[in-house]
Amino acid sequence: MREDQLIAKISAKTGSRTRSKDALLAIGDDTARWVPKPGYEVLLTSDWFLEGTHFLRDKHAADSVGWKCLARAASDIAAMGGTPVCFLMSLALPTSLAGRWLDRFLAGLRRAAQRFGCPLAGGDTTRRNEVLISLTVVGQIAAGRSVLRSGARPGDVVFVSGTLGEAELGLSLVRGNAKATRTTAAMQKHLYPEPRLALGKWLAEKRLVSAMMDLSDGLSTDLPRLAAASSAGAWIDAGALPAVQIPASRASQKLDALDLALHGGDDYELLFAVPKQNVPKIPASFQGLPLSAIGEIRRGHSLVLRGKNGRDTVLPNKGWDPFRNKR
Amino acid sequence: MREDQLIAKISAKTGSRTRSKDALLAIGDDTARWVPKPGYEVLLTSDWFLEGTHFLRDKHAADSVGWKCLARAASDIAAMGGTPVCFLMSLALPTSLAGRWLDRFLAGLRRAAQRFGCPLAGGDTTRRNEVLISLTVVGQIAAGRSVLRSGARPGDVVFVSGTLGEAELGLSLVRGNAKATRTTAAMQKHLYPEPRLALGKWLAEKRLVSAMMDLSDGLSTDLPRLAAASSAGAWIDAGALPAVQIPASRASQKLDALDLALHGGDDYELLFAVPKQNVPKIPASFQGLPLSAIGEIRRGHSLVLRGKNGRDTVLPNKGWDPFRNKR
């Protein structure tokens, strides 16, 4: 196997266009090339996806690794309200994985690329004793329409999409079930997350939200980021959180639905702030995805959780932090 | 150390703009944002720079690691004739390196960013027992002006900039001299390569070249790529190569100047094909950098080397390939 052969395989299996005289977004030159739509901003995001840190090769099927590495990076484009355009992939892997494992990885990657409208446009490859993946996703959005983290104002209502803690529950099921034959919804969400691209785009286009981000590290870590960027505090109501339901078969394992909803990572749902006058325009669900009001932006810098007992306490920051947690 | 603190440190030490309401290219949101000049194409390139594969922590100063990871990615922008705009960095490192090592790494990175006009605009960080770096550099160029690998035609003259094999010689000096106090020109080129941005831009703007790429893996590996992309062969003359001079102190170590020039990697010089009628317009040097005619593009697919004895032989492909070589 030579590097050029590996690149040819990646190009073929992901359905990427290879070099042709003038094609933009073709693989095989020193850089990818692309022209955004006139009047559009370019959005750029990079994400790690590393064996041992972000996935375990013996627990996560190669197909899921391929899907998820692109899904989580595309989620950052969704969080701005943008549309993915293409991605670049830096891939390092052992020579022994360049056969079947790589085929399956590329199959998952290709399905994600087709689903998100986001073809592979370039990258870099090298040999390594562990699988290392770094993705850069490029997106676009009409100039001035991107939704930042910094626009929330006191009084805005805080919303989240979907169910919180589901991916973390899925991780615990995947870890416990090496030989699971049945994939539950929670496992599916952990293995094959869906970036909320249509929702993010709709919220941005309709100018309904003042601030937005995606939930990758858990609500208790990400909400403080949105609040700090907006120079504000926030208050959330435990009783309003769309928390995952713990299956009866797992009820004895000290899994707590509220803990999962507050601190569980990898959900890739959208967290957004809605000015009061726009709240009636937010539907209860968008294309089947529930949207829940969970609290509000407040003056100051405090992050407060109203417990199910009705008492307010400081929201502990206990989501995923690679420099604190170890998976 | 928390991830947010690390990101704040990286932002501060690289002189990046942090989140502000509407600034483009500011760090701290889900994606970076940027608007290219009207009528311009976006150029995108990703490069690995991994401890143990691309650098050795005990041989390469952190400052050089910071400079070089950006220089080599920016070199791909030079190879298209473009101008760098910004970069995204995915960085993984041990917590123990988040102090002095990181400071020095960021100092080198900052100098390179300032030199190339290419600020940090985003990225991702995580913890890892080795230093892993993946960079994406974004560039721009007037639409239709980028120079691909695929445009060379039989009869075009093949040129290279600078001196070949110098960085590989520098690597051998760095490896042999853990305690070197004097940095030679070859070591300097290995540690602090200069992407040929001004030359690439000039050649593209003046429309003097039919094909171009940068030399990262060595002439004997990269020239076949340019030839194959152009559906052509190539002939080069060993006597015309601007080969590095082996210092007398190293003459006994089986270092061969021609081997270094043909197969040495990491030079980041430009390799370009010039149609016959443009050859008189190529100066002997550009801003002090020598430009050398080394051969020509030919019909067919053969890659031929004329030896110093005047005999033509097949050019062996012996440059850097991560799936073949081990450093």
Side-chain angles (χ1 to χ4, degrees), chain B:
Chain B
M1 164 84 59
R2 295 175 51 100
E3 187 176 13
D4 291 345
Q5 294 167 329
L6 179 62
I7 292 169
K9 178 173 182 171
I10 292 170
S11 301
K13 298 258 176 182
T14 55
S16 306
R17 276 174 284 180
T18 46
R19 61 169 79 93
S20 67
K21 209 103 321 135
D22 287 310
L24 297 178
L25 289 183
I27 284 183
D29 235 292
D30 288 90
T31 75
R33 297 180 300 144
W34 165 65
V35 181
K37 283 205 272 187
Y40 273 62
E41 275 174 21
V42 180
L43 304 175
L44 298 156
T45 181
S46 289
D47 261 341
W48 280 127
F49 206 57
L50 304 175
E51 180 178 346
T53 302
H54 302 99
F55 70 95
L56 304 167
R57 211 198 307 162
D58 60 340
K59 296 287 186 183
H60 295 98
D63 183 81
S64 141
V65 174
W67 174 282
K68 191 169 176 177
C69 70
L70 183 55
R72 63 204 294 275
S75 178
D76 286 324
I77 303 293
M80 303 292 277
T83 303
V85 169
C86 67
F87 73 103
L88 287 84
M89 175 172 66
S90 290
L91 174 66
L93 81 174
T95 308
S96 62
L97 295 190
R100 213 166 66 161
W101 189 93
L102 181 62
D103 289 347
R104 291 176 176 179
F105 167 79
L106 293 174
L109 188 66
R110 180 182 190 143
R111 281 190 302 110
Q114 288 176 336
R115 171 70 154 263
F116 312 148
C118 185
L120 179 65
D124 191 14
T125 53
T126 196
R127 184 174 61 172
R128 196 81 181 172
N129 56 0
E130 293 171 299
V131 179
L132 310 178
I133 304 163
S134 169
L135 248 64
T136 296
V137 175
V138 181
Q140 64 184 353
I141 188 167
R145 288 294 175 95
S146 53
V147 184
L148 310 186
R149 297 178 178 184
S150 51
R153 295 291 164 265
D156 290 357
V157 176
V158 177
F159 280 80
V160 291
S161 64
T163 305
L164 300 187
E166 197 167 21
E168 192 79 22
L169 174 64
L171 171 62
S172 81
L173 298 176
V174 167
R175 291 193 141 196
N177 269 311
K179 291 167 191 163
T181 49
R182 205 172 60 86
T183 302
T184 68
M187 287 165 71
Q188 181 71 16
K189 187 166 180 184
H190 170 70
L191 296 170
Y192 297 96
E194 287 280 354
R196 303 309 187 186
L197 290 161
L199 173 62
K201 189 178 173 190
W202 182 77
L203 291 170
E205 276 178 356
K206 299 289 181 188
R207 297 183 187 265
L208 294 173
V209 294
S210 56
M212 183 155 64
M213 68 184 296
D214 70 326
L215 289 171
S216 54
D217 296 337
L219 182 65
S220 75
T221 290
D222 286 330
L223 178 62
R225 290 174 172 151
L226 186 143
S230 297
S231 304
W235 170 92
I236 58 171
D237 181 358
L241 294 181
V244 66
Q245 290 208 317
I246 311 284
S249 61
R250 296 274 157 178
S252 61
Q253 294 180 24
K254 294 193 184 165
L255 287 170
D256 180 78
L258 179 58
D259 274 353
L260 289 172
L262 287 172
H263 313 305
D266 260 7
D267 272 326
Y268 304 108
E269 297 295 348
L270 293 180
L271 172 70
F272 50 98
V274 179
K276 276 266 160 60
Q277 71 273 16
N278 291 342
V279 171
K281 297 176 189 160
I282 304 294
S285 70
F286 177 85
Q287 296 179 359
L289 182 70
L291 306 180
S292 308
I294 62 167
E296 67 175 39
I297 301 295
R298 296 219 165 152
R299 290 190 189 286
H301 298 286
S302 302
L303 293 146
V304 176
L305 173 68
R306 172 153 299 173
K308 291 188 175 170
N309 58 9
R311 287 171 54 183
D312 286 355
T313 53
V314 173
L315 173 67
N317 184 327
K318 285 167 59 183
W320 164 252
D321 185 316
F323 291 89
R324 185 176 55 199
N325 309 89
K326 198 149 189 157
R327 267 190 188 145

